Amino acid sequence: MVAKKNADKEAPREQWSSKMSLVMASAGSAIGLGNIWMFPWRMGTYGGSAFLLIYVLIIAFIGLIALMGEFAMGRGQGKGPISAFEAIFREKKLAGGKWLGLFPVLMTLAVTIFYMVVVGWIIHYFVISFQGFAGLNLATYFSGFAGSSSAISWHVLAVVATTAIVYMGVKKGLEPINNLMLPGLLILMVVLAIRAVTLPGAVEGIRFMFAPNFGALADPLTWFNALAQALFSLSLLGCTLVIYGSYMPKGTDIPQAAAYTAIFDTIAALLAAFIVFPAAFAFGVSPNAGIPLLFVTLPGLFAQMPAGLLFGALFFLLVIFAATTSAISLFESAVEPLMDAFKWARKKAALITGAVVLLAGLPLTINMGHFSLWMRVTSGILMPIGTLVTMIVLFWVFGALRARKEVNEGAAVKMGPWWEFFGKYVAVGGTFFILVAGILRFTGQWR
Ligand code: PHE
């Protein structure tokens, strides 16, 4: 027994088998529902190519810096947030590091819980896409399904499948799934984008989507949307990428891995926009965001499209791939902390994570009121708290200089002192803005 306990404790940390696997995993985490159900609408609503311009700048000067920083903290400490924060605080003779590390972990768990409910719906829609959406009144169908007991089995299926993948571990679970699904999803996106832009009338959608409205940049809401989109889309909630960074071998080129992740994520967001806008314009409907887009508007378009049965099924397969590679990273964000805090073996940590996500998600699965409240609290308040805590610990307690040195170890292109400025002030300031704005919006003081 004692021997077994020690074996658990001393099991060497898992590692990615190559830089490619790491890039696939973090791009897989980044590309998810956020790219498909939020990006196109945000771009179309908040200034078209003017939005795209500031989005790309935010990705470059906040997103990429934070991405490198989280990777570096994970790799430097060889641990996820709980133990990493603890070690960083202890070094400065500060107490409470591990409790602070719990913040990003729990906030990310809150995301996981509602994300998996949606993954359940997606699997269901993939299955029904084979009968086609033509005979259905889609709005009525969705409101009858989501928030009812018929959604339970799909939620269970989503959680069980994701648990099974993380149960297998980094090399046998996460890697093969990411290596299969990430290229698969990019190919499907290209196929669907080609279908969408070649529909008669599609050009109007493209024109609308790119029409630059620089006036929108005077509206703080535009900046809020671009920043919130960038943080969520790059999975910068302060937990996941620290953990993915902790599985990096020492010599990994962090700036390069971060750049690939951001580039893939942005390409995927644009491809999603090339699917949604042209298709919506071709059929004269206005593209919207979130749940109605995925489960009402787009299925409605597939119902009218030539070969819509095929494209509908391909679309939901694409969303399954995108959501699964993100979901496993979300699960991993609970599994690693459990292994870390309680010295549990991976299998036990995976099963407990699955059980928690399942039970906590159940009330949301059967009640849409609970679901929307949970989602609003999480995205408005909890998520920005997790991100901000990690950014402050990273750039101020661990220190921007040390973070930069760690980033530069093994890097072909080294980051200069400007990197520290962007981390300490721009990334932290931007996240602080998102938190304040999130609270004001949640309480209805800012619309
Ligand atoms: N980036 C994912 C998406 O766009 C969501 C996510 C956030 C995944 C945080 C992991 C961690 O859907």
Side-chain angles (χ1 to χ4, degrees), residues 132-370:
F133 297 109
L136 294 177
N137 177 333
L138 286 154
T140 323
Y141 183 81
F142 182 74
S143 53
F145 166 70
S148 81
S149 55
S150 28
I152 296 176
S153 47
W154 302 96
H155 179 226
V156 174
L157 181 61
V159 174
V160 169
T162 314
T163 306
I165 299 167
V166 290
Y167 182 94
M168 300 298 291
V170 171
K171 287 209 167 90
K172 291 201 187 120
L174 276 62
E175 285 190 5
I177 294 294
N178 283 318
N179 293 349
L180 170 82
M181 289 189 176
L182 183 72
L185 96 88
L186 290 171
I187 293 168
L188 287 173
M189 277 189 146
V190 172
V191 170
L192 282 151
I194 293 174
R195 165 70 287 195
V197 299
T198 50
L199 288 165
V203 189
E204 267 320 297
I206 300 174
R207 211 171 278 150
F208 174 87
M209 185 165 95
F210 281 103
N213 169 10
F214 285 98
L217 301 190
D219 183 355
L221 210 50
T222 303
W223 293 85
F224 169 78
N225 274 283
L227 202 48
Q229 179 68 29
L231 294 178
F232 185 76
S233 196
L234 286 180
S235 303
L236 288 171
L237 306 186
C239 181
T240 312
L241 299 170
V242 178
I243 294 173
Y244 273 17
S246 76
Y247 299 147
M248 275 184 199
K250 263 293 168 213
T252 312
D253 188 331
I254 288 183
Q256 196 193 46
Y260 278 132
T261 304
I263 291 170
F264 278 129
D265 187 53
T266 307
I267 291 177
L270 278 169
L271 281 173
F274 271 105
I275 298 170
V276 172
F277 272 91
F281 273 69
F283 293 103
V285 299
S286 84
N288 47 7
I291 292 164
L293 173 75
L294 276 193
F295 300 104
V296 181
T297 311
L298 289 176
L301 304 184
F302 296 125
Q304 301 172 52
M305 201 178 276
L309 202 70
L310 173 68
F311 289 110
L314 290 181
F315 175 77
F316 279 100
L317 184 63
L318 142 73
V319 187
I320 289 183
F321 283 3
T324 303
T325 52
S326 298
I328 55 183
S329 77
L330 286 164
F331 267 57
E332 191 61 24
S333 311
V335 169
E336 191 279 344
L338 285 174
M339 293 166 65
D340 183 20
F342 301 114
K343 306 290 170 237
W344 286 350
R346 166 172 288 278
K347 297 195 155 92
K348 178 165 171 193
L351 293 175
I352 302 277
T353 301
V356 169
V357 173
L358 190 69
L359 292 177
L362 215 53
L364 317 186
T365 302
I366 55 174
N367 183 319
M368 278 307 274
H370 295 163

Side-chain angles (χ1 to χ4, degrees), residues 379-421:
S379 51
I381 301 170
L382 303 184
M383 259 164 39
I385 294 178
T387 310
L388 187 60
V389 165
T390 298
M391 293 235 201
I392 292 174
V393 171
L394 169 64
F395 291 115
W396 289 91
V397 188
F398 183 63
L401 175 65
R402 250 175 96 193
R404 180 165 70 89
K405 284 194 179 138
E406 180 69 41
V407 164
N408 283 343
E409 213 183 300
V413 180
K414 309 261 190 249
M415 300 296 117
W418 59 271
W419 190 93
E420 297 168 41
F421 171 82

Side-chain angles (χ1 to χ4, degrees), residues 220-221 223-225 227 388 428-438 446:
L221 210 50
W223 293 85
F224 169 78
N225 274 283
L227 202 48
L388 187 60
V428 172
T431 313
F432 186 71
F433 164 66
I434 289 293
L435 176 59
V436 174
W446 188 31

